[in-house]
């Protein structure tokens, strides 16, 4: 299966900044093993693979996302990068992308400097209270205590295509001394279908 593989950065106009993403564009999606191999070779957190969805509508595409280790259901920054790449290649400015989780709408505009900007509308998000056993295990792996967390921002599980636990800490220094054992953290994430873990500190009210 042939296609164009791009190494891009979303959320920036400076090639050395932003959030790197792989984008593969073709007339059909490669086999799963090939997409996994390409994503591992690219080495970014995610690579998006896009092809027509079979409807005949040029504004409707199928997209799948692979990290270097496994397929994931959705990736925002790779979607933004893909939208700009598609617009630069003459695709419609309004796209409907069929993800594993549902359809994501993507709109692309051109600014006064001639640069394309993409905006997505995710599937319906939700935020739920994080189970105590998950928080206890996360704190154990991070070597943090419950007292390190910001009580004004209770731990939560957030979803907008993929699941992320969110832990807010009282002090920035807590993030600065963060360390963890990779393999136990990877196992926890796989067991609970977490794509990332978001560790945050609120600087201002």
């Amino acid at each position: 299966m042939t296609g164009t593989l791009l190494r891009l950065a979303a959320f920036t106009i400076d090639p050395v900044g932003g959030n790197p993403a792989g984008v593969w564009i073709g007339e059909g999606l490669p086999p799963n093993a090939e997409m996994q191999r390409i994503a591992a070779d690219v080495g970014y957190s995610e690579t998006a693979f896009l092809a027509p969805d079979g409807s005949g509508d040029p504004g409707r595409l199928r997209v799948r996302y692979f990290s270097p280790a496994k397929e994931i259901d959705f990736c925002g920054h790779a979607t933004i990068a893909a939208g700009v790449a598609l617009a630069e290649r003459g695709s419609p400015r309004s796209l409907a992308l069929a993800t594993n989780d549902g359809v994501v709408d993507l709109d692309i505009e051109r600014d006064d400097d001639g640069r394309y900007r993409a905006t997505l509308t995710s599937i319906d998000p939700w935020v739920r209270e994080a189970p105590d056993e998950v928080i206890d295990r996360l704190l154990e792996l991070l070597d943090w205590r419950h007292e390190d967390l910001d009580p004004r921002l209770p731990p939560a599980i957030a979803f907008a295509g993929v699941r992320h636990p969110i832990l807010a800490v009282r002090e920035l220094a807590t993030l600065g001394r963060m360390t963890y054992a990779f393999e136990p953290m990877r196992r926890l994430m796989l067991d609970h279908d977490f794509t990332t873990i978001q560790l945050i500190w609120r600087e201002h009210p």
Side-chain angles (χ1 to χ4, degrees):
M1 188 67 66
T2 59
T4 300
L5 176 63
L6 306 168
R7 289 171 168 84
L8 305 175
F11 312 134
T12 183
I13 59 174
D14 182 350
V16 301
N19 199 343
V23 175
W24 188 98
I25 303 170
E27 290 303 312
L29 294 179
N32 288 1
E34 180 67 3
M35 289 191 282
Q36 187 63 76
R37 183 196 67 77
I38 292 170
D41 183 62
V42 171
Y44 293 159
S45 59
E46 285 88 15
T47 295
F49 295 82
L50 300 103
D53 72 348
S55 67
D57 182 343
R60 301 188 65 85
L61 300 169
R62 176 70 168 110
V63 58
R64 293 174 66 183
Y65 308 90
F66 282 78
S67 77
K70 59 176 287 224
E71 183 175 11
I72 63 172
D73 291 330
F74 181 69
C75 173
H77 75 276
T79 303
I80 294 295
V84 171
L86 289 164
E88 290 176 342
R89 286 155 179 77
S91 291
R93 303 288 182 86
S94 292
L95 301 171
L97 305 182
T99 75
N100 287 353
D101 278 336
V103 175
V104 171
D105 293 323
L106 189 61
D107 294 305
I108 303 100
E109 298 179 346
R110 203 164 194 170
D111 64 20
D112 294 338
D113 294 321
R115 293 186 294 258
Y116 288 106
R117 297 177 182 271
T119 304
L120 68 83
T121 302
S122 76
I123 63 172
D124 289 341
W126 50 255
V127 177
R128 297 174 182 166
E129 184 177 351
D132 289 342
E133 62 271 18
V134 171
I135 300 309
D136 289 344
R137 182 58 175 154
L138 278 171
L139 292 175
E140 178 185 0
L141 291 175
L142 292 165
D143 194 24
W144 291 355
R145 302 166 301 166
H146 282 277
E147 293 76 19
D148 292 320
L149 300 181
D150 187 341
R152 300 168 300 172
L153 296 171
I157 307 294
F159 173 88
V162 288
R163 292 158 47 90
H164 314 269
I166 302 172
L167 294 182
V169 295
R170 292 176 184 266
E171 299 179 356
L172 180 59
T174 305
L175 297 182
R177 60 179 173 81
M178 185 189 73
T179 185
Y180 61 89
F182 179 84
E183 189 57 34
M185 187 69 82
R186 185 182 76 88
R187 175 50 51 193
L188 175 71
M189 294 175 70
L190 289 173
D191 288 346
H192 293 277
D193 194 26
F194 296 149
T195 299
T196 68
I197 298 172
Q198 299 185 21
L199 307 174
I200 63 173
W201 169 69
R202 181 162 62 180
E203 182 176 9
H204 299 293

